[in-house]
Amino acid sequence: METTETRPASPIGADEAEFMNVARSGDAGRFALLTERYRRELLVHCYRMLASYEDAQDLTQETFLRAWAKRESFQGRASLRTWMYRIATNACLDFLEKRRDRTPVPIELQGDGGTGTEVLYLQPWPDSEPDGPHERAVARETIELAFIVAVQHLPARQRAVLILRDVLGWPAQQTADTLELTLASANSALQRARATMREHLPDGRLYWSARAKHELSADEQRLVSAYVRAHETLDIDGLTALLRADLRFAMPPEPGVVWVGREATVQSWIDGGFGRGDYVDWKCRTTTANGQPAVAAYLRRPGSQAYEAFAMDVLRVEDGLVAEIVTFGSDVFEWFGLPPRLEAS
């Protein structure tokens, strides 16, 4: 299987030698200088493990606290980056061991009468400009919501094995050592993880391309523009025409709010008041989340002088149409640098 992210550097380099000197001296300033460069990519790693941006922030901070506490244990047998990833992975595993609510829950799907699962704790990843070679190597497909949700269906250690092997490109023995598994156990866990991922990823794919996660295609940009235009003009027919027949619509963390099917989903919006009463005056701003198009909607209620942050739709596009919409509350706007309100012109 192809991987796209840079493999850990071979020890021992200048950074590793300096870090061992820092560990002996207890120089907190130098420690920060040597380790902070990994913060962003470790945050991505924790997010893949946990599917929650807030949890990932907490566990990334926990990683640095553990690294400081364990600094004298670093012997340079692995690169500093690898050592930091090892600490982050085990911090996430410890968190998942304590939080039994961090697993998908079974639900009844609205619209088609079927059953499925939902990740209630799912949060969007706020894209930003890549600030280092390792982040530039992040495959778009390994941060998009479909991948993040599929990973959540794996037991914690299988999740870690898959991410370390297939996303980060770690060697099998290094992965086994990090997770304190035998090589045979680690390889077996990887095979089981891949099989489960095929069941939950769209089209059962297991190939991660290297397309930068911030680049939307021209077709995606046109589709988003049409989506915004239809939303702001209350064009239900135009909005419906942009959706696949088998559209999936979810609103985590709302339990059970998962609709399958274009007509059923649109009807749920109409029943919820879209285009009537207080829900007629909208402005939208576009961004990207998880390497996918995202539309932030602001609502101006009657008598108000401003449009207030309302919700963010993260779109998955297939064959020129919207295949999935995951809607998050306005509390995520701050993560994307979006204002809480827009003044009415």
Side-chain angles (χ1 to χ4, degrees):
M1 176 176 299
E2 295 194 32
T3 58
T4 57
E5 294 195 22
T6 305
R7 293 179 182 274
S10 299
I12 182 172
D15 285 347
E16 287 73 30
E18 184 175 0
F19 186 82
M20 286 190 283
N21 290 331
V22 167
R24 287 193 292 268
S25 68
D27 187 335
R30 293 298 298 171
F31 172 88
L33 187 64
L34 289 168
T35 58
E36 279 294 318
R37 70 189 70 180
Y38 303 114
R39 181 176 292 274
R40 182 71 174 176
E41 60 181 288
L42 290 172
L43 181 60
V44 176
H45 179 59
C46 292
Y47 176 72
R48 288 194 185 106
M49 287 285 295
L50 305 173
S52 163
Y53 184 62
E54 290 176 315
D55 289 344
Q57 289 178 307
D58 291 344
L59 268 295
T60 301
Q61 187 59 33
E62 173 67 15
T63 296
F64 281 87
L65 292 174
R66 290 189 183 194
W68 173 255
K70 297 178 178 181
R71 64 190 183 278
E72 295 185 10
S73 69
F74 181 75
Q75 300 297 318
R77 287 189 290 268
S79 71
L80 179 56
R81 178 173 178 260
T82 298
W83 187 71
M84 294 292 291
Y85 266 93
R86 180 178 293 128
I87 294 173
T89 301
N90 284 294
C92 290
L93 291 174
D94 290 345
F95 173 84
L96 292 170
E97 177 66 25
K98 296 174 183 175
R99 294 295 300 270
R100 297 299 185 178
D101 61 330
R102 289 305 194 255
T103 56
V105 297
I107 57 166
E108 293 186 5
L109 301 175
Q110 306 296 316
D112 75 346
T115 60
T117 56
E118 185 179 7
V119 179
L120 296 179
Y121 50 92
L122 179 68
Q123 293 178 334
W125 171 263
D127 291 335
S128 63
E129 288 303 313
D131 46 21
H134 299 308
E135 180 151 354
R136 282 194 293 271
V138 173
R140 171 175 175 165
E141 285 81 356
T142 63
I143 201 69
E144 70 178 26
L145 287 176
F147 178 89
I148 297 299
V149 168
V151 167
Q152 300 307 298
H153 290 81
L154 302 176
R157 289 195 179 274
Q158 285 187 30
R159 191 181 310 179
V161 168
L162 181 107
I163 292 172
L164 293 176
R165 290 291 312 278
D166 283 354
V167 177
L168 295 176
W170 282 27
Q173 188 62 62
Q174 187 175 31
T175 299
D177 293 344
T178 293
L179 300 174
E180 298 182 345
L181 298 171
T182 66
L183 182 59
S185 295
N187 287 336
S188 177
L190 178 61
Q191 295 307 314
R192 294 197 301 273
R194 287 172 175 170
T196 301
M197 291 290 284
R198 287 190 185 94
E199 295 174 4
H200 293 282
L201 280 171
D203 302 322
R205 69 174 185 234
L206 275 178
Y207 170 75
W208 327 128
S209 79
R211 184 156 63 112
K213 69 177 182 293
H214 311 290
E215 297 174 355
L216 299 184
S217 68
D219 287 343
E220 287 175 323
Q221 293 175 22
R222 284 191 291 270
L223 181 64
V224 170
S225 295
Y227 187 92
V228 167
R229 189 163 53 250
H231 197 291
E232 292 182 341
T233 60
L234 309 179
D235 182 1
I236 294 293
D237 290 339
L239 194 58
T240 302
L242 302 175
L243 311 177
R244 281 175 56 111
D246 58 352
L247 174 79
R248 188 180 191 275
F249 171 68
M251 295 177 60
E254 297 296 327
V257 184
V258 178
W259 294 82
V260 176
R262 176 178 55 208
E263 305 305 327
T265 298
V266 172
Q267 188 59 51
S268 75
W269 295 342
I270 295 172
D271 292 343
F274 179 75
R276 303 196 312 271
D278 289 352
Y279 302 97
V280 297
D281 194 354
W282 300 90
K283 291 293 182 186
C284 297
R285 294 292 181 267
T286 60
T287 183
T288 60
N290 298 79
Q292 301 170 231
V295 176
Y298 292 80
L299 173 65
R300 185 163 75 106
R301 298 181 187 274
S304 175
Q305 298 302 307
Y307 292 85
E308 302 291 339
F310 187 80
M312 177 180 290
D313 293 346
V314 181
L315 314 178
R316 178 165 60 84
V317 179
E318 289 185 7
D319 301 324
L321 294 173
V322 179
E324 182 174 28
I325 303 172
V326 184
T327 298
F328 299 96
S330 60
D331 54 324
V332 308
F333 279 41
E334 182 181 2
W335 304 344
F336 292 79
L338 293 167
R341 64 185 57 82
L342 301 174
E343 296 301 322
S345 58

